[in-house]
Amino acid sequence: MRRRVFLASALTAASTLTAGCSSLGPQTEHTDPVVETDDNPRDRGKYLEFDGDGDDGDLATVGVDPTSGPLPRPLAVSISHPEGTELRSLTQRFTAPDGDGSPPKLSLRGPFEGGHEPHPSVSLFRDGAAAVVEVHRFGELADETAFLNLAVTEWPESARRLAVDSTVELVETGVFEHTHVLDGELAFEFFAETDAGDGTAETPDSSG
């Protein structure tokens, strides 16, 4: 499996939605992943592991790693998947369940790495109590392990929990496409005073 870091630039226009997010082939939903944690007890990373059909092994692994803080600051997101599959879309909802009802504010970090097109299409917005990240198109990175770097620019006061709901659309390519919709949630607990991180483009306050 080829690997390349995917670092999202600030807010690629969400208007570039593509018809590739749907398929005429069969579709299977996966809603019961196994949750694994990093082997190193000092790390906080957790992973949703989705099994393939029969003896095909892992279909995909979706990871979220709050890489520093006592509260979440950088958030490293990763999606790995086997050869013969392509990433079509990602939606992640970040909430603070024990906060004041306001969402964390996030920023996308980096520019893209790699000079080939089409580039991924990414948007970031607020929806009620959630900060939402959507990758509408993975472009040149669709058949690779994808990495997305986020920063928490503002954290809800008194909140000590982070929930991340992830929905990934993955397609088995070939003569007949088979779409897999992967859905699962990861939960993290923190323990120190609120300390917002840095970033470049905050989530807008308007919903939708």
Side-chain angles (χ1 to χ4, degrees):
M1 182 178 357
R2 294 180 296 144
R3 294 175 179 266
R4 185 189 304 159
V5 174
F6 161 34
L7 296 175
S9 64
L11 299 183
T12 300
S15 59
T16 55
L17 291 172
T18 67
C21 292
S22 61
S23 174
L24 297 178
Q27 178 172 297
T28 303
E29 296 185 0
H30 304 261
T31 59
D32 190 25
V34 175
V35 177
E36 297 288 350
T37 58
D38 269 323
D39 294 334
N40 188 337
R42 298 179 61 182
D43 293 331
R44 290 180 173 170
K46 294 184 180 181
Y47 305 87
L48 300 170
E49 295 188 351
F50 295 89
D51 290 334
D53 298 329
D55 298 326
D56 293 340
D58 290 343
L59 182 61
T61 299
V62 181
V64 176
D65 185 5
T67 53
S68 69
L71 288 178
R73 296 179 68 179
L75 294 169
V77 176
S78 63
I79 310 172
S80 61
H81 53 105
E83 293 183 2
T85 62
E86 291 185 354
L87 294 168
R88 289 289 170 87
S89 67
L90 166 69
T91 300
Q92 289 189 305
R93 299 175 60 87
F94 296 81
T95 58
D98 60 340
D100 58 6
S102 62
K105 290 186 178 180
L106 305 179
S107 68
L108 298 168
R109 306 183 68 174
F112 291 113
E113 184 170 301
H116 301 289
E117 295 185 355
H119 292 307
S121 174
V122 184
S123 64
L124 178 63
F125 57 93
R126 170 180 173 175
D127 181 17
V132 182
V133 176
E134 289 188 349
V135 182
H136 312 287
R137 180 189 65 219
F138 280 88
E140 60 167 326
L141 304 176
D143 61 349
E144 305 180 12
T145 297
F147 297 86
L148 180 66
N149 282 352
L150 303 170
V152 179
T153 62
E154 187 173 326
W155 181 250
E157 186 176 356
S158 301
R160 296 294 178 268
R161 296 174 58 204
L162 170 68
V164 184
D165 183 85
S166 300
T167 301
V168 176
E169 190 175 24
L170 181 72
V171 176
E172 291 184 64
T173 57
V175 177
F176 300 102
E177 291 189 348
H178 186 158
T179 301
H180 297 270
V181 179
L182 319 175
D183 188 80
E185 184 177 282
L186 293 171
F188 302 87
E189 293 189 4
F190 303 91
F191 51 85
E193 294 182 358
T194 301
D195 182 14
D198 59 350
T200 56
E202 293 184 351
T203 47
D205 290 334
S206 60
S207 61

